[in-house]
């Protein structure tokens, strides 16, 4: 890919975030999941806050289902933060997380959702992701990883976290978990419960979503940074390196037994020979599904006709065949009222030392208009909302905790903006 592609795509992504309805912006597609179910490619995303389910049949994409999470207590729709598709005993399910709750829906007919199970924790653990690690469904939060059985009962937990939890995955491995954190691929051994290996990467855009691919058959790890796509063994040895010349690098994915792997780097998707580590093909995606395309999340599905690559492409989702030819695409039609703030990020505390159960006012500026905010204080979590100007203020009760110094951290759910300040508990 030539450098002119970078310029075009950067302009496109700039438009993505700043052009749209008055005082609104298009909600981009950047992640999701996909499976082959009954000879149809089914893919889904929670990027809009709802569960959006699509099918591809006869080279045509149809949106079949949209699931909202209605909160009757506050008369609002709570946002889902992540989902995972799962085929079990010939039926199709979607697992989803929202705040402190894990859901399991049966969506086998693709046009309706039947709630199969639902579990909510009571210890303030805010789920950021749901995925399948080995044979089991798992949730990911700032507190680590919880592993569930088929009844959605927690059967194990791991103290493995990452600054961006999106990067944590296992592919089909029963033993290892992988993350991309602080310019490193980190390998976590579930048997020893320790990080057993770290391999260096080099990122310019630190906050982007990154994920590696692990081949459980060859025990090889494939990763992409903002300059190279790399292949490692489990001992951390570099087995191959390809300079993709463009940044940022997002994800690498493949299917079991395939001779190829695919990676996304904003401007498009590249198909690589896994053994020779050379380029087999590539496709620019910035204009495939319409303007403002930006290839981020990637999911490869093996079908009877070969690989299908599902690209979560900013303003749209694109399906490519094994030769990276376009099958079809679907555009995002969700708009958010959130716009960026003109003020700098700030966090203010009414007191800089407190006691347990005392009142404390937390306020700040610089977040998106009407954005949902998550506040973490020790072992407690709070929800707040910014006003039209991106400002917020709320009085809380200080949680009961041992004396010491703590960080209070505020994170914007949509913007991912974050700010923290310390306070002493006496």
């Amino acid at each position: 890919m030539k450098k002119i592609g970078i310029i075009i795509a950067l302009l496109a992504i700039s438009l993505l975030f700043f052009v749209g309805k008055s005082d609104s912006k298009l909600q981009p597609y950047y992640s999701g999941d996909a499976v082959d179910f009954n000879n149809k490619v089914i893919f889904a995303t929670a990027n809009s806050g709802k569960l959006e389910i699509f099918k591809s049949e006869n080279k045509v994409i149809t949106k079949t289902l949209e699931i909202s999470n209605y909160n009757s207590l506050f008369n609002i729709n709570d946002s889902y933060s992540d989902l995972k598709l799962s085929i079990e005993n010939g039926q199709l399910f979607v697992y989803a997380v929202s705040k402190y709750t894990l859901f399991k829906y049966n969506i086998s007919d693709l046009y309706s959702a039947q709630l199969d199970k639902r579990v909510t924790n009571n210890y303030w653990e805010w789920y950021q992701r749901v995925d399948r690690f080995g044979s089991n469904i798992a949730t990911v939060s700032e507190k680590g990883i919880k592993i569930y059985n088929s009844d959605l009962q927690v059967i194990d937990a791991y103290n493995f976290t990452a600054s961006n939890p999106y990067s944590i995955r296992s592919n089909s491995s029963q033993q290892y978990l992988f993350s991309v954190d602080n310019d490193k691929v980190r390998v976590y051994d579930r048997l020893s419960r320790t990080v057993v290996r770290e391999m260096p990467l080099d990122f310019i855009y630190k906050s982007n979503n990154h994920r590696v691919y692990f081949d459980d058959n060859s025990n090889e790890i494939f990763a992409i940074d903002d300059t190279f796509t790399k292949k490692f063994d489990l001992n951390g040895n570099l087995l191959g390196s390809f300079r993709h010349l463009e940044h940022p690098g997002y994800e690498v994915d493949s299917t079991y037994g395939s001779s190829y792997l695919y990676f996304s780097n904003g401007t498009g998707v590249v198909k690589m020979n896994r053994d020779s580590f050379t380029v087999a093909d590539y496709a620019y995606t910035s204009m495939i599904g319409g303007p403002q395309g930006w290839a981020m999340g990637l999911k490869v599905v093996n079908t009877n006709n070969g690989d299908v690559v599902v690209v979560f492409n900013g303003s749209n989702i694109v399906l490519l065949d094994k030769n990276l030819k376009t099958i079809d695409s679907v555009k995002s039609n969700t708009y958010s009222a959130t716009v960026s703030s003109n003020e700098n990020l700030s966090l203010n505390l009414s007191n800089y030392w407190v006691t347990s159960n005392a009142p404390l006012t937390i306020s700040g500026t610089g977040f998106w208009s009407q954005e949902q905010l998550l506040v973490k204080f020790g072992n407690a979590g709070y929800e707040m909302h910014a006003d039209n100007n991106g400002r917020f203020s709320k009085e809380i009760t200080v949680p009961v905790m041992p004396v010491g110094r703590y960080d209070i951290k505020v994170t914007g759910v949509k913007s991912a903006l974050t700010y923290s300040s310390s306070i002493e508990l006496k």
Side-chain angles (χ1 to χ4, degrees):
M1 297 185 184
K2 298 180 180 179
K3 289 187 176 179
I4 188 66
I6 303 176
I7 299 172
I8 294 172
L10 288 174
L11 289 172
I13 202 67
S14 298
L15 288 172
L16 173 65
F17 285 104
F18 295 108
V19 175
K21 294 180 180 180
S22 175
D23 293 329
S24 63
K25 77 177 189 70
L26 193 65
Q27 177 64 50
Y29 291 129
Y30 56 87
S31 67
D33 195 21
V35 295
D36 183 0
F37 179 66
N38 293 339
N39 297 317
K40 304 179 187 68
V41 173
I42 310 300
F43 58 98
T45 178
N47 293 158
S48 68
K50 302 175 182 178
L51 306 183
E52 297 181 77
I53 315 297
F54 304 84
K55 73 172 181 178
S56 173
E57 188 173 19
N58 298 323
K59 297 186 177 182
V60 175
I61 293 174
T62 304
K63 184 176 182 178
T64 64
L65 185 59
E66 188 173 281
I67 307 171
S68 298
N69 181 19
Y70 179 66
N71 185 329
S72 58
L73 181 62
F74 295 103
N75 195 29
I76 60 172
N77 284 322
D78 286 335
S79 293
Y80 295 101
S81 56
D82 196 24
L83 58 76
K84 181 66 178 177
L85 296 171
S86 179
I87 300 174
E88 303 171 13
N89 299 319
Q91 298 188 82
L92 180 61
F93 296 88
V94 58
Y95 293 86
V97 285
S98 176
K99 297 183 178 178
Y100 318 106
T101 302
L102 170 62
F103 301 85
K104 180 183 181 182
Y105 296 99
N106 189 324
I107 58 168
S108 296
D109 70 359
L110 301 179
Y111 291 91
S112 64
Q114 305 299 320
L115 182 62
D116 185 80
K117 291 182 177 66
R118 166 180 173 161
V119 290
T120 300
N121 72 67
N122 57 5
Y123 38 84
W124 294 97
E125 183 166 5
W126 191 288
Y127 301 132
Q128 297 161 312
R129 289 196 53 236
V130 59
D131 205 344
R132 184 174 292 280
F133 293 159
S135 302
N136 297 92
I137 287 295
T139 54
V140 180
S141 76
E142 288 185 347
K143 296 183 178 181
I145 295 168
K146 297 286 193 302
I147 306 294
Y148 298 79
N149 63 15
S150 58
D151 292 322
L152 297 191
Q153 298 169 328
V154 176
I155 57 173
D156 209 344
Y158 302 103
N159 185 24
F160 182 54
T161 60
S163 56
N164 189 341
Y166 180 79
S167 72
I168 299 177
R169 71 188 307 189
S170 77
N171 294 114
S172 58
S173 176
Q174 299 286 345
Q175 182 174 353
Y176 298 106
L177 301 173
F178 305 87
S179 73
V180 179
D181 198 17
N182 295 322
D183 286 336
K184 296 176 183 177
V185 176
R186 304 176 72 226
V187 182
Y188 181 89
D189 187 342
R190 294 170 65 177
L191 298 180
S192 65
R193 298 179 180 270
T194 58
V195 174
V196 294
R197 203 77 63 227
E198 292 185 339
M199 289 82 88
L201 297 175
D202 186 16
F203 291 105
I204 300 170
Y205 302 99
K206 310 288 186 184
S207 61
N208 286 327
N209 289 336
H210 309 288
R211 281 205 299 196
V212 306
Y213 175 76
F214 175 67
D215 185 335
D216 197 34
N217 185 43
S218 64
N219 284 331
E220 292 174 332
I221 303 163
F222 299 89
I224 181 172
D225 61 22
D226 289 344
T227 307
F228 293 95
T229 304
K230 299 179 179 180
K231 176 167 62 172
F232 302 93
D233 64 21
L234 273 173
N235 292 319
N237 298 310
L238 181 63
L239 304 179
S241 180
F242 170 75
R243 188 180 182 92
H244 62 86
L245 300 177
E246 297 176 14
H247 46 68
Y250 286 93
E251 292 196 33
V252 184
D253 202 23
S254 184
T255 57
Y256 185 81
S258 173
S259 300
Y260 300 97
L261 61 94
Y262 306 81
F263 69 77
S264 58
N265 63 347
T267 59
V269 175
V270 178
K271 179 180 180 180
M272 297 277 294
N273 292 286
R274 287 167 63 161
D275 291 334
S276 64
F277 226 57
T278 57
V279 173
D281 212 337
Y282 63 87
Y284 295 108
T285 61
S286 58
M287 298 297 290
I288 285 182
Q292 307 171 17
W294 190 249
M296 293 176 281
L298 201 67
K299 182 66 179 179
V300 183
V301 180
N302 184 254
T303 73
N304 291 334
N305 296 317
D307 289 340
V308 172
V309 185
V310 183
V311 187
F312 297 91
N313 194 44
S315 64
N316 53 76
I317 303 173
V318 175
L319 268 62
L320 306 174
D321 66 15
K322 62 183 178 182
N323 299 313
L324 298 188
K325 304 302 182 184
T326 304
I327 297 173
D328 198 9
S329 63
V330 59
K331 294 180 180 179
S332 172
N333 60 6
T334 301
Y335 285 85
S336 170
T338 56
V339 293
S340 56
S341 172
N342 292 323
E343 296 183 300
N344 292 327
L345 279 175
S346 69
L347 176 61
N348 302 304
L349 308 176
S350 59
N351 297 291
Y352 289 93
W353 67 265
V354 288
T355 58
S356 295
N357 291 319
L360 175 69
T361 298
I362 301 174
S363 60
T365 63
F367 291 90
W368 285 0
S369 172
Q370 296 295 327
E371 182 173 24
Q372 182 183 5
L373 307 175
L374 308 181
V375 178
K376 186 73 182 299
F377 182 2
N379 57 12
Y382 309 88
E383 289 182 64
M384 301 184 187
H385 280 82
D387 63 17
N388 290 333
N389 297 312
R391 303 169 183 171
F392 70 96
S393 180
K394 185 174 183 178
E395 183 181 278
I396 66 167
T397 299
V398 175
V400 177
M401 298 182 297
V403 297
R405 183 161 290 277
Y406 293 88
D407 282 338
I408 296 179
K409 181 179 180 180
V410 183
T411 302
V413 171
K414 293 292 186 182
S415 66
L417 294 170
T418 185
Y419 204 92
S420 62
S421 183
S422 63
I423 190 169
E424 186 175 359
L425 183 62
K426 295 185 177 181

